[in-house]
């Protein structure tokens, strides 16, 4: 069986005007993961990447750290849902950008509620696909890997698609992905074994590349 490494993007710019770009720490996190792969002798035969800027930048950092010359296959189905649209669908009043822990708690509480309503088909957030179409986009990437890849495959995406993939593989209720999503750390690695017929979960949300003293304060969630 091959091994699929699903990587959540490195730290983005939560609370800034443009969230969809890596912070300075996020850039270091992505390079560090690439260095770890190289140190462990892990090479890749193929790669897929969402098309959001934070995905592209994360892949570039990993490639830099690992010395990869691999060109990833751009896969829009690996893009994250629009959290602002989800929140607006259940809370149409303007919200201040989160600048402190209290604001962040409100943001993620509303996001959780918005995700649940979207999954249940209660709301249709502006500019977003249905939940079923979102799942189809994520699972199409896994289907591509099963049908066309072997060996080690690198996939760079976001918490939503990765938690959706894990939930689907485990046969868990869709709502499970909400809890998983809100626990996935930046630049965390989830591993799946795969063959042409199926994927099997091996690890979830791991940070072996940050598990030594110089890097432990690099662990982030947004």
């Amino acid at each position: 069986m091959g091994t699929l490494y699903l990587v959540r993007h490195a730290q983005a710019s939560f609370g800034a005007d443009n969230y969809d770009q890596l912070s300075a720490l996020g850039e270091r996190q992505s390079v560090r993961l690439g260095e770890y792969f190289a140190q462990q002798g892990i090479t890749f035969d193929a790669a897929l990447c969402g098309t959001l800027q934070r995905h592209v930048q994360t892949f570039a950092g990993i490639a830099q750290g690992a010395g990869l010359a691999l060109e990833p296959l751009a896969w829009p189905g690996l893009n994250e849902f629009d959290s602002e649209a989800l929140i607006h669908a259940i809370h149409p009043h303007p919200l201040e950008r989160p600048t402190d822990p209290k604001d962040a708690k409100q943001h993620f509480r509303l996001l959780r509620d918005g995700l649940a309503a979207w999954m249940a088909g209660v709301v249709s957030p502006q500019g977003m696909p249905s939940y079923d179409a979102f799942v189809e986009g994520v699972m199409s990437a896994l289907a591509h890997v099963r049908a066309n890849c072997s060996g080690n495959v690198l996939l760079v995406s976001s918490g939503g698609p990765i938690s959706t993939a894990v939930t689907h593989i485990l046969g868990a209720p869709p709502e499970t992905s909400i809890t998983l999503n809100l626990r996935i750390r930046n630049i965390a690695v989830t591993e799946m074994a795969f063959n042409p017929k199926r994927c099997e979960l091996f690890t979830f949300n791991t940070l072996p590349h940050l598990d030594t003293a110089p890097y432990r304060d690099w662990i982030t969630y947004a």
Side-chain angles (χ1 to χ4, degrees):
M1 297 184 79
T3 302
L4 175 61
Y5 294 80
L6 301 95
V7 177
R8 186 193 175 200
H9 62 81
Q11 185 187 55
S13 300
F14 185 70
D17 289 339
N18 180 16
Y19 171 74
D20 191 26
Q21 59 182 352
L22 296 189
S23 67
L25 175 57
E27 293 174 353
R28 297 195 298 273
Q29 289 172 334
S30 59
V31 172
R32 172 59 195 149
L33 178 55
E35 292 171 346
Y36 171 82
F37 284 143
Q39 291 163 1
Q40 298 300 309
I42 298 172
T43 58
F44 295 97
D45 302 286
L48 287 78
C49 185
T51 61
L52 299 177
Q53 189 70 7
R54 57 190 183 271
H55 299 156
V56 174
Q57 292 172 345
T58 296
F59 182 87
I62 295 170
Q64 176 185 334
L68 293 179
L70 196 61
E71 186 68 27
L73 176 62
W75 203 277
L78 293 173
N79 290 349
E80 185 63 288
F81 48 71
D82 185 338
S83 60
E84 290 189 4
L86 281 163
I87 290 173
H88 184 74
I90 63 164
H91 189 280
H93 307 294
L95 289 173
E96 296 293 329
R97 293 192 180 277
T99 57
D100 59 38
K102 183 179 179 181
D103 292 341
K105 276 189 174 182
Q106 182 188 25
H107 171 89
F108 287 110
R109 184 171 59 251
L110 289 170
L111 177 58
R112 180 185 288 272
D113 292 345
L115 283 166
W118 177 48
M119 290 176 176
V122 175
V123 297
S124 299
Q126 185 175 5
M128 283 180 52
S130 68
Y131 176 68
D132 288 345
F134 177 80
V135 173
E136 183 179 350
V138 174
M139 299 313 297
S140 70
L142 270 60
H144 173 85
V145 170
R146 292 198 315 272
N148 299 282
C149 301
S150 60
N152 293 331
V153 179
L154 176 62
L155 183 155
V156 178
S157 183
S158 288
I162 293 173
S163 63
T164 297
V166 170
T167 297
H168 186 88
I169 294 301
L170 294 177
E175 296 77 12
T176 302
S177 68
I178 300 176
T179 300
L180 295 179
N181 182 24
L182 296 179
R183 293 292 179 267
I184 297 181
R185 298 167 290 186
N186 293 124
I187 209 66
V189 180
T190 293
E191 296 170 76
M192 293 181 182
F194 71 90
N195 63 26
K197 293 184 178 180
R198 65 186 182 276
C199 290
E200 297 176 352
L201 184 65
F202 186 55
T203 68
F204 174 69
N205 196 27
T206 66
L207 293 171
H209 46 297
L210 302 183
D211 195 26
T212 54
Y215 305 110
R216 286 176 185 149
D217 62 352
W218 287 21
I219 297 173
T220 58
Y221 288 82

